[in-house]
Amino acid sequence: MLLSGSHEAQLDAASRQQLGTGTFRVGSASNRTASRLDGARLQLRAPQELISEATLPGTVQLPPSGQPIVLMAEAPVTGGYPRIGQVAAVDLPRLAQRRPGDPVCFRHGTLAQAADRLRRRDQALDTLCRQIEQRLQHDGFLTA
């Protein structure tokens, strides 16, 4: 899920459309710092010079190449490229598991939707952990 970034409105119409409906591919230069995406070049309506601002894992930046970069686990704390989106925290592990050449599609969502998906994932993980603990106790590997 992709949340709107502070500079998303600066994309031209075709690029906004491509960001929400197109398919990108994980680039070979991707690493723990950033997942570099290959695909259609995205363009701003007008060039911008920005000062560095805070970034977080999941920030989608648009460098001059027009190929989006998604900041990952070892993201820098600041960045000067336009921030066109934010990948929801619940989806970052899925992106991190992608290999070079794998497809990536963004679908826009709201903060409330992202928070709900994160809550449901956390509940599912809690349920799984309880089931594993019960099974280990049942099989004698853990004592109560």
Side-chain angles (χ1 to χ4, degrees):
M1 178 178 303
L2 184 69
L3 307 174
S4 294
S6 57
H7 301 110
E8 183 180 20
Q10 300 304 315
L11 290 170
D12 66 23
S15 295
R16 277 196 311 274
Q17 176 75 17
Q18 182 66 27
L19 182 63
T21 62
T23 299
F24 297 90
R25 298 225 172 256
V26 175
S28 60
S30 298
N31 55 38
R32 288 181 48 82
T33 301
S35 185
R36 297 174 183 279
L37 304 180
D38 297 330
R41 278 182 45 102
L42 303 181
Q43 296 182 13
L44 299 173
R45 289 183 287 139
Q48 290 189 338
E49 288 194 31
L50 304 171
I51 59 169
S52 288
E53 292 184 12
T55 62
L56 298 169
T59 298
V60 182
Q61 293 187 309
L62 186 64
S65 70
Q67 301 297 308
I69 298 171
V70 182
L71 300 180
M72 300 303 284
E74 293 183 14
V77 295
T78 61
Y81 295 136
R83 289 162 303 288
I84 60 173
Q86 180 70 36
V87 174
V90 69
D91 291 322
L92 279 177
R94 293 175 61 202
L95 179 58
Q97 293 177 30
R98 297 286 193 181
R99 296 179 183 272
D102 284 351
V104 175
C105 299
F106 295 115
R107 298 298 175 254
H108 285 282
T110 65
L111 183 57
Q113 290 169 325
D116 182 59
R117 288 185 56 223
L118 185 61
R119 180 187 52 76
R120 286 187 284 132
R121 185 203 63 189
D122 288 347
Q123 287 174 341
L125 287 173
D126 286 344
T127 299
L128 179 61
C129 287
R130 282 193 304 276
Q131 290 171 345
I132 290 171
E133 182 178 19
Q134 289 170 355
R135 179 63 186 259
L136 290 172
Q137 286 176 348
H138 178 268
D139 291 348
F141 292 107
L142 288 179
T143 56

